[in-house]
Amino acid sequence: MEERDFVDKNRKPMGETTTEESKITEGKYIQIVIICMENHKKEFLIQKRAQKKNGKWALTGGHVISGEESVHAILREVQEELGLQLEEEKIEFVFSKRAYDCFVDIYYTKKEVEILNLKLEKEEVETVKWMSLEEIKTWREKNLFLDYHYDCLQECIYFLEKIAEGEKENV
């Protein structure tokens, strides 16, 4: 059973751990990572979560385990869930936000992935596919896509656009 570190509202380690089964009490937070993986067609790699994980479509991600850095957690989650090894220098940290009882670090990468070559962790992931933002939005409206992951995807795109605009202004 994986342990997770508790951090406070300022993301400072509290010296306490928890497990997935434990309830998170007020004033304590855990850390989560999500990656927005985009191909050259401006489609995003999404995964259908296993039925025991609610069976909805979502981005790839998971929890930061005790003692682990956020960037290593996203690399591990992608490897575990998809059998895909990403290079740390090819993923970009986009932003972090506090939500509910966790801090979420959102990463981004452009990557061409052949779905048939992925080795899915069946306990976590039922299937994967590439989808446009509009298709994902439609699935969200039909309650097929996790709202929270959709919000993270939209925020990721927004931040990347703002960064690109800022770079253009400085040229």
Side-chain angles (χ1 to χ4, degrees):
M1 185 175 316
E2 293 177 346
E3 289 191 337
R4 302 165 185 160
D5 293 325
F6 275 129
V7 294
D8 67 16
K9 66 179 181 178
N10 298 311
R11 205 168 180 168
K12 300 285 186 225
M14 298 179 76
E16 299 175 45
T17 61
T18 186
T19 60
E20 186 174 357
E21 290 77 29
S22 301
K23 185 161 176 58
I24 299 171
T25 56
E26 190 173 334
K28 296 180 180 182
Y29 302 87
I30 58 171
Q31 299 173 86
I32 294 175
V33 290
I34 293 175
I35 192 161
C36 302
M37 198 175 313
E38 183 180 24
N39 67 16
H40 73 282
K41 297 184 210 174
K42 297 198 177 289
E43 296 169 323
F44 293 90
L45 187 66
I46 63 168
Q47 60 189 48
K48 187 171 193 305
R49 296 160 56 119
Q51 286 304 314
K52 74 174 191 169
K53 296 254 183 199
N54 78 15
K56 289 193 176 187
W57 290 86
L59 300 169
T60 301
H63 294 92
V64 178
I65 59 175
S66 183
E68 187 176 42
E69 290 183 33
S70 169
V71 67
H72 297 136
I74 197 59
L75 294 170
R76 175 185 49 76
E77 287 290 344
V78 170
Q79 174 68 44
E80 286 176 1
E81 294 182 5
L82 305 177
L84 179 63
Q85 193 162 2
L86 296 178
E87 297 170 46
E88 185 174 339
E89 58 275 357
K90 294 197 177 171
I91 64 171
E92 182 178 347
F93 173 78
V94 182
F95 68 97
S96 182
K97 71 178 192 172
R98 191 174 82 188
Y100 308 107
D101 58 1
C102 62
F103 283 92
V104 183
D105 288 346
I106 299 168
Y107 290 88
Y108 171 83
T109 191
K110 270 204 174 269
K111 180 109 176 131
E112 302 303 317
V113 175
E114 179 57 53
I115 289 175
L116 296 175
N117 294 337
L118 297 176
K119 293 177 179 66
L120 306 182
E121 182 181 30
K122 292 299 183 183
E123 297 221 355
E124 299 269 341
V125 181
E126 192 176 302
T127 191
V128 295
K129 70 183 300 173
W130 290 104
M131 290 186 83
S132 71
L133 186 58
E134 283 305 310
E135 291 171 311
I136 295 170
K137 181 180 179 183
T138 300
W139 281 23
R140 178 191 187 208
E141 290 166 358
K142 294 178 180 177
N143 201 29
L144 300 173
F145 198 90
L146 280 178
D147 285 341
Y148 184 72
H149 281 229
Y150 178 78
D151 294 343
C152 288
L153 177 59
Q154 280 201 304
E155 290 178 60
C156 179
I157 292 167
Y158 173 79
F159 276 94
L160 292 169
E161 287 171 350
K162 289 298 173 195
I163 290 168
E165 288 173 11
E167 289 175 357
K168 290 176 188 172
E169 290 172 7
N170 294 330
V171 174

